[in-house]
Amino acid sequence: LLKFMSSRISQREITDAVTKILDQSQKKKRNFLESVELQIGLRNYDPKKDKRFSGSISLPFPPKEEKKIAILGDAVHLSEASRFQLDSYGVEDLKKFNKQKKMVKKFAKKYDFFLASESIIKIIPRILGPGLNKAGKFPFPLSHSENLLDKISMLKKNIKLELKKVLCMGILVGNVQMEKEQIVQNLLISINFLASLLKKNWQNIGSLHIKSSMGPPVKIF
């Protein structure tokens, strides 16, 4: 995959752009941790006619360490979540939302992602309605044979690329406290993954910029 990328953008160009972004954030320090985003502009793509793509990939390094997670669990996973002091909800807790859209929306907003026991995942839409799905936060399945903390660690590195109705999107690839090389590696994987999802690969990519939360965008393609 990396060979596929190098003819279009060199690793050096990406490294130079990340250096600019990190230098900028050092000059003007904020009182919060700035994230680093890859901004994507697509071309020759019609979201109405062409198939909308969606895919997830695990990055080499977690772009955001402090992700908020909730477990929607059966008895086994609720007890495990409690042991690791993780937020957790059983079926009875979820029923209390009474499918109220505002409450479910607020619940979805509170967490970065959800994990749900395989034994209850199918009944969640019936209990909560479509709210989690609409927010793009339908739970990841969790089986009893999986190690809960390993699964969480893997999902913290996960990013999702999804084309909706517009031809531009942004994905989180890091934060300004990460090592430069870590952000570069995350970007290489993200860009290659994006190209692999597109119908005409690189021909569908119009522009790529990297940007910190408060800094100016830096063009890399």
Side-chain angles (χ1 to χ4, degrees), residues 114-118 121 138-143 146 151 155:
F114 296 89
L115 278 167
S117 305
E118 281 183 344
I121 199 163
F138 193 76
F140 291 93
L142 180 65
S143 72
E146 287 177 296
K151 181 98 176 192
L155 289 172

Side-chain angles (χ1 to χ4, degrees), residues 44-87:
N44 305 332
Y45 218 93
D46 184 345
K48 285 178 187 161
K49 289 181 193 162
D50 294 322
K51 188 170 179 262
R52 291 191 198 174
F53 60 80
S54 175
S56 296
I57 192 169
S58 192
L59 297 177
F61 305 97
K64 178 183 175 187
E65 203 50 66
E66 293 309 309
K67 283 195 172 182
K68 285 206 79 183
I69 299 129
I71 311 298
L72 312 181
D74 56 19
V76 175
H77 286 136
L78 289 178
S79 134
E80 218 178 332
S82 157
R83 196 164 82 239
F84 296 126
Q85 298 181 319
L86 298 165
D87 287 5

Side-chain angles (χ1 to χ4, degrees), residues 6-211:
S6 57
S7 59
R8 302 293 178 139
I9 314 174
S10 71
Q11 189 161 335
R12 178 170 205 146
E13 286 172 290
I14 292 180
T15 304
D16 289 348
V18 173
T19 304
K20 275 185 197 168
I21 278 170
L22 295 180
D23 287 350
Q24 184 83 23
S25 77
Q26 282 302 311
K27 279 181 200 158
K28 203 165 186 181
K29 286 202 168 176
R30 309 285 171 176
N31 57 1
F32 68 95
L33 180 60
E34 286 187 84
S35 56
V36 177
E37 191 178 70
L38 172 65
Q39 296 184 331
I40 299 154
L42 299 179
R43 65 177 183 182
N44 305 332
Y45 218 93
D46 184 345
K48 285 178 187 161
K49 289 181 193 162
D50 294 322
K51 188 170 179 262
R52 291 191 198 174
F53 60 80
S54 175
S56 296
I57 192 169
S58 192
L59 297 177
F61 305 97
K64 178 183 175 187
E65 203 50 66
E66 293 309 309
K67 283 195 172 182
K68 285 206 79 183
I69 299 129
I71 311 298
L72 312 181
D74 56 19
V76 175
H77 286 136
L78 289 178
S79 134
E80 218 178 332
S82 157
R83 196 164 82 239
F84 296 126
Q85 298 181 319
L86 298 165
D87 287 5
S88 58
Y89 303 83
V91 169
E92 292 310 310
D93 301 314
L94 300 177
K95 282 179 179 171
K96 288 174 189 164
F97 285 109
N98 215 7
K99 285 191 188 171
Q100 289 182 47
K101 284 180 189 172
K102 274 188 182 171
M103 282 175 73
V104 175
K105 196 175 178 182
K106 199 174 170 186
F107 180 56
K109 224 175 179 178
K110 189 177 173 185
Y111 297 99
D112 289 297
F113 63 85
F114 296 89
L115 278 167
S117 305
E118 281 183 344
S119 55
I120 69 162
I121 199 163
K122 285 180 180 168
I123 62 168
I124 287 170
R126 208 160 65 226
I127 299 170
L128 290 179
L132 293 186
N133 215 1
K134 277 186 179 171
K137 291 186 184 172
F138 193 76
F140 291 93
L142 180 65
S143 72
H144 290 158
S145 61
E146 287 177 296
N147 179 302
L148 178 58
L149 295 186
D150 285 352
K151 181 98 176 192
I152 287 171
S153 163
M154 187 195 81
L155 289 172
K156 278 185 175 178
K157 297 176 187 174
N158 235 38
I159 57 158
K160 187 176 184 183
L161 275 168
E162 188 173 25
L163 178 67
K164 295 197 173 166
K165 289 176 185 171
V166 289
L167 290 179
C168 49
M169 63 182 86
I171 50 168
L172 182 69
V173 289
N175 64 69
V176 296
Q177 274 180 6
M178 286 169 70
E179 298 290 327
K180 184 197 303 178
E181 190 50 37
Q182 293 181 332
I183 301 173
V184 170
Q185 289 304 317
N186 278 359
L187 277 161
L188 285 169
I189 298 288
S190 304
I191 294 166
N192 275 314
F193 183 57
L194 166 71
S196 75
L197 287 176
L198 296 166
K199 195 166 76 172
K200 293 182 181 170
N201 307 117
W202 278 91
Q203 290 172 39
N204 288 131
I205 298 176
S207 66
L208 295 171
H209 291 79
I210 313 172
K211 187 187 180 312

